[in-house]
Amino acid sequence: MTQTRQAQGTAAIDAMFARAKSENRAAFLPYFCIGYPDYDESLRAIETVAELGVDGFEIGMPFSDPIADGPTIQAATQIALENGTTVRLCLDAVRTLRDKGLTQPMLMMGYANPLVAYGTDRFVRDARAAGADGLIVPDLPPEEASMFAQSCAREGMALVFFLAPTSNDERIELAAAKATGFIYVVSLTGITGAREELPAYLTDYIARLRAKTDMPLVLGFGISTPDHARQLRGLTDGFIVASALIRAWQRSFNDMRALASEIFAAIQQ
Amino acid sequence: MTDTYIQTNISDLPDERGYFGEFGGRFVPETIVPALDELQAAYAEAIADPAFHANLSHLQQTYTGRPTPISHARRLSEALGGAQIYLKREDLAHTGAHKINNALGQGLLARRMGKRRIIAETGAGQHGVGAATAMALLGLECHVYMGTVDIRRQQPNVFRMKLLGAEVIPVESGSRTLKDAINEAMRDWVTNVETTFYLLGSALGPHPYPMMVRDFQSVIGVEAREQIQVLTGQLPDVCIACVGGGSNAIGLFHAFRDDAHTELIGVEAGGHGIESKQHAARFADLDISRPGILHGTRSFVMQDDDGQIMETHSVSAGLDYPSVGPEHAHLRQLERAYYTLATDVEALEAFQVLSKLEGIIPALESAHAVAEAIKRAPTMPKDSVLLVNLSGRGDKDLDTVIGILGE
Ligand SMILES: Cc1ncc(COP(=O)(O)O)c(C=O)c1O
């Protein structure tokens, strides 16, 4: 059942946004950490949610000291580490998923140190070869990104940077100039974790970014419910859901699948 | 002594991106990058302002009790039969350790920036106590993150911080020591960055912290360099300091940077010994320690093959940290400073020797520096001068030591 992908790397991510845009909606990128709750289950979750037709995936690689993450992702990635999840295993997971026919873009998401330990050039090459399309490193501001920028450019791998409510115009311009694929827009001043409500300033905040860049904007941190997803219509080009899916999954696999399905349905209405 | 107790511009490092050679930088989430820019600008402005220096200098003299003296450890030197050992007495600074130097400096800066909520992390509790003390003095709100393992082994300091009006927030994640306290403090900062000043306690973390903490601690070396010449008529042949994050060591070393004949020695925690892999000797065990990124800076980091940070061990909470300030990594690479280690056993021995022979109970951290002096002095001529930074007093460690040695 192996399907060939029409585009790869940054081009696959561009195509993902083009398609979502043609359907007049934002792209939905759920996050899953390889190795949580164990290796096989994490792959089953990604395959199951891929079958819903979601647009892409953030593939989490665990780190012992995740300073941008709240308790939910901390706990999940800790379990993944206890299960022996390595960078290499995360790349194996991507290759396995591609072999099984998963066509959506996958972006590798992980803190800098394990990637530095693996070798940054080698990581980018191996990740691209395994079938990953982009890279997201939460403790890597654009100023420090030269260690990845060249190899990502060479391999056609998207290198995503973050913007936050605290980012000033100068930093917006910097991220816009350096990012490929999209800009990860942190919804709030804080760490990851499910939230009750989206911040009230979101419209103004996104408008401030739009005034400075044409890059696709993908919102993350705190997006938790179908209603949140609905509120993003016309606002961002995509959004990421992580902690809320893990929390649903703590109840059951089916609850996690149901939440992903409801969120995806909400943006298609 | 001059009025100016912060030594700045003695070297051109770090560069404007916060690098000491290939070490340092700023590896942090985007959310706090603007706050680091703001801090850097505010700091540059403060140190260009004579009023800031005058303020700090006044507090150092009338509150901290600076300059701290240098004591000649006569009986210890005699017993060892070699170099004359001198102790820079940071244990006599108010709160009992060098950490107050940095806490007051950053506290004044926070007040100047109009930030009223201060957060800090602590390992041994000495930085937490320093921060809580400075904030009590300056009338600012203080919250200190501390791992529950450290809370257990440094009870007196936990009580002290509370008495000083600080909130101590227990950290249950990871190894529940200094590393995890820094993680939590950073998460707090990411969340409350607009209202909050992060008072980092050692010469580590993202730029400008390694530079700023060094500058605030450089008073140790500036004083010591003058005092030792008055006392002995010469510069020290060797300077020794323990290295946790590296603030007391860099504070001592910096004034001697250009004194080519003064050897600079940093002492890391050897824990149960290198072979045991239970230690915090980041420069000694290159099987498990190599350049990497932790807490916003590129330096030596103890990590497994997959880049996961390793748990460290030391009898002294203040040295129990898997990375080290980036400027030390640079000084080591330049071979301007050398790094060695003392094991738990050696530090405990030095702790007792100094107590018995000099009537000074050192902090377990400082006892690591004393242990190296005990090894080195006998190999040096009797007229040579060995200067040890006695970074803190040992009262906080009595429970730990009683637990190990018995009553
Ligand atoms: C007395 C004392 N010395 C040394 C240290 C180690 O820190 P640093 O290497 O930053 O001086 C500590 C840390 O808590 C301390 O309390």
Side-chain angles (χ1 to χ4, degrees):
Chain A
M1 72 167 245
T2 302
Q3 286 174 268
T4 48
R5 297 199 300 150
Q6 265 145 24
Q8 307 223 354
T10 310
I13 294 169
D14 295 345
M16 170 187 80
F17 287 118
R19 186 182 132 219
K21 193 168 187 178
S22 76
E23 294 172 12
N24 200 19
R25 62 177 180 82
F28 172 30
L29 295 102
Y31 161 100
F32 291 100
C33 177
I34 301 301
Y36 173 82
D38 63 38
Y39 182 80
D40 290 342
E41 281 293 283
S42 61
L43 265 63
R44 180 162 82 99
I46 295 166
E47 285 177 89
T48 305
V49 173
E51 279 164 20
L52 299 172
V54 303
D55 301 281
F57 289 93
E58 228 187 311
I59 303 294
M61 300 176 282
F63 180 48
S64 53
D65 296 82
I67 56 168
D69 285 305
T72 306
I73 293 182
Q74 279 178 49
T77 52
Q78 187 56 39
I79 289 169
L81 284 177
E82 283 159 17
N83 289 332
T85 308
T86 59
V87 169
R88 181 185 302 278
L89 211 54
C90 294
L91 296 181
D92 287 350
V94 168
R95 187 176 299 102
T96 303
L97 289 163
R98 288 288 178 232
D99 287 347
K100 288 182 166 185
L102 192 138
T103 56
Q104 286 98 329
M106 285 190 265
L107 290 104
M108 307 308 292
M109 160 77 144
Y111 289 82
N113 196 59
L115 307 183
V116 169
Y118 189 93
T120 53
D121 280 355
R122 184 169 151 239
F123 174 79
V124 172
R125 197 181 57 232
D126 290 358
R128 192 66 274 289
D133 303 296
L135 175 59
I136 306 175
V137 185
D139 54 349
L140 192 80
E143 292 90 327
E144 299 288 2
S146 58
M147 62 170 88
F148 290 104
Q150 273 190 348
S151 42
C152 280
R154 190 172 54 237
E155 301 288 336
M157 179 107 145
L159 182 57
V160 170
F161 292 117
F162 289 76
L163 284 171
T166 50
S167 306
N168 54 26
D169 285 356
E170 200 183 318
R171 300 201 56 76
I172 296 170
E173 280 161 18
L174 180 67
K178 297 232 174 165
T180 46
F182 60 84
I183 290 176
Y184 190 131
V185 180
V186 179
S187 71
L188 45 83
T189 305
I191 53 178
T192 60
R195 307 288 203 282
E196 293 288 320
E197 296 192 13
L198 295 181
Y201 53 73
L202 216 47
T203 309
D204 290 346
Y205 171 34
I206 300 295
R208 190 160 70 84
L209 304 184
R210 290 275 189 222
K212 293 269 168 201
T213 178
D214 297 329
M215 284 294 287
L217 302 179
V218 172
L219 195 73
F221 285 39
I223 300 150
S224 309
T225 66
D227 196 43
H228 290 169
R230 227 172 269 123
Q231 291 170 48
L232 296 179
R233 181 185 292 278
L235 206 55
T236 66
D237 303 289
F239 62 91
I240 290 165
V241 180
S243 298
L245 287 171
I246 296 172
R247 274 169 54 163
W249 199 351
Q250 287 162 354
R251 294 192 298 275
S252 75
F253 187 92
N254 284 338
D255 279 19
M256 180 277 294
R257 184 187 178 284
L259 178 61
S261 166
E262 284 160 26
I263 289 173
F264 195 48
I267 57 172
Q268 287 173 313
Q269 286 156 13
Chain B
M1 290 255 155
T2 63
D3 275 359
T4 301
Y5 282 84
I6 321 173
Q7 196 177 26
T8 50
N9 300 328
I10 35 185
S11 79
D12 41 3
L13 292 180
D15 67 16
E16 71 284 358
R17 292 174 56 230
Y19 276 85
F20 303 87
E22 60 180 84
F23 303 104
R26 218 183 232 187
F27 295 85
V28 293
E30 170 67 20
T31 309
I32 58 175
V33 175
L36 292 169
D37 283 337
E38 183 194 359
L39 178 63
Q40 192 178 337
Y43 176 62
E45 202 195 287
I47 57 169
D49 179 358
F52 183 78
H53 288 265
N55 242 337
L56 181 56
S57 169
H58 179 74
L59 288 180
Q60 286 174 340
Q61 290 172 41
T62 64
Y63 187 73
T64 309
R66 303 211 71 89
T68 57
I70 284 189
S71 307
H72 184 191
R74 230 178 273 277
R75 296 191 64 217
L76 178 64
S77 306
E78 240 162 62
L80 296 168
Q84 299 308 305
I85 298 173
Y86 289 84
L87 307 171
K88 175 61 173 166
R89 301 291 304 278
E90 291 301 295
D91 61 315
L92 293 178
H94 179 43
T95 71
H98 69 293
K99 297 281 180 186
I100 189 75
N101 302 330
N102 172 51
L104 279 176
Q106 288 196 46
L108 284 178
L109 184 60
R111 195 170 67 175
R112 198 182 157 98
M113 292 172 74
K115 309 256 178 185
R116 304 201 56 81
R117 181 177 183 272
I118 311 299
I119 56 170
E121 81 295 333
T122 198
Q126 284 306 122
H127 173 56
V129 168
T133 300
M135 296 318 125
L137 177 72
L138 300 173
L140 302 173
E141 188 191 316
C142 186
H143 308 268
V144 183
Y145 288 93
M146 188 169 189
T148 50
V149 167
D150 291 338
I151 287 181
R152 206 179 329 112
R153 59 180 164 177
Q154 307 278 231
Q155 267 302 320
N157 275 344
V158 175
F159 187 65
R160 244 173 236 138
M161 285 184 268
K162 290 181 180 167
L163 207 56
L164 292 160
E167 181 197 14
V168 178
I169 306 169
V171 175
E172 283 287 357
S173 56
S175 55
R176 302 182 177 96
T177 58
L178 180 57
K179 157 178 96 77
D180 312 282
I182 297 180
N183 288 342
E184 271 321 307
M186 285 197 154
R187 289 181 188 120
D188 180 317
W189 205 33
V190 169
T191 306
N192 301 299
V193 63
E194 275 140 325
T195 59
T196 298
F197 186 101
Y198 180 17
L199 204 181
L200 224 165
S202 192
L204 44 86
H207 182 56
Y209 284 104
M211 168 182 81
M212 189 167 68
V213 176
R214 172 197 74 196
D215 292 349
F216 286 135
Q217 292 294 1
S218 65
V219 63
I220 301 171
V222 171
E223 288 175 3
R225 191 169 181 281
E226 196 167 314
Q227 290 165 320
I228 197 80
Q229 292 182 84
V230 170
L231 277 170
T232 68
Q234 68 163 94
L235 287 169
D237 297 288
V238 177
C239 288
I240 301 180
C242 68
V243 183
S247 69
N248 86 88
I250 206 74
L252 177 69
F253 292 174
H254 229 67
F256 297 96
R257 248 178 82 95
D258 298 327
D259 299 326
H261 296 293
T262 300
E263 213 179 323
L264 306 175
I265 311 279
V267 187
E268 301 186 280
H272 295 316
I274 292 298
E275 310 73 40
S276 73
K277 301 291 166 204
Q278 293 182 319
H279 58 75
R282 294 112 341 159
F283 289 137
D285 193 350
L286 302 183
D287 284 349
I288 53 174
S289 181
R290 49 187 187 278
I293 294 163
L294 181 66
H295 295 147
T297 194
R298 182 171 191 279
S299 183
F300 276 70
V301 180
M302 289 179 49
Q303 52 187 306
D304 68 14
D305 289 342
D306 201 45
Q308 306 299 339
I309 309 307
M310 288 190 41
E311 295 199 1
T312 51
H313 164 80
S314 170
V315 69
S316 80
L319 304 184
D320 204 352
Y321 180 68
S323 185
V324 57
E327 192 163 7
H328 286 291
H330 183 57
L331 290 177
R332 175 178 175 275
Q333 195 167 59
L334 294 178
E335 299 187 3
R336 178 61 194 96
Y338 297 90
Y339 296 84
T340 181
L341 57 90
T343 62
D344 286 359
V345 169
E346 290 166 334
L348 283 161
E349 176 66 22
F351 179 89
Q352 296 170 83
V353 167
L354 196 71
S355 301
K356 291 211 175 79
L357 291 185
E358 298 294 338
I360 298 170
I361 302 174
L364 279 174
E365 290 78 14
S366 323
H368 286 70
V370 175
E372 177 62 17
I374 291 172
K375 285 182 216 169
R376 247 171 210 267
T379 70
M380 296 168 65
K382 279 200 164 71
D383 59 352
S384 56
V385 172
L386 194 162
L387 176 63
V388 176
N389 197 14
L390 205 75
S391 57
R393 56 190 289 161
D395 307 50
K396 69 181 177 62
D397 296 313
L398 294 183
D399 282 353
T400 303
V401 175
I402 288 166
I404 296 169
L405 300 178
E407 310 224 355

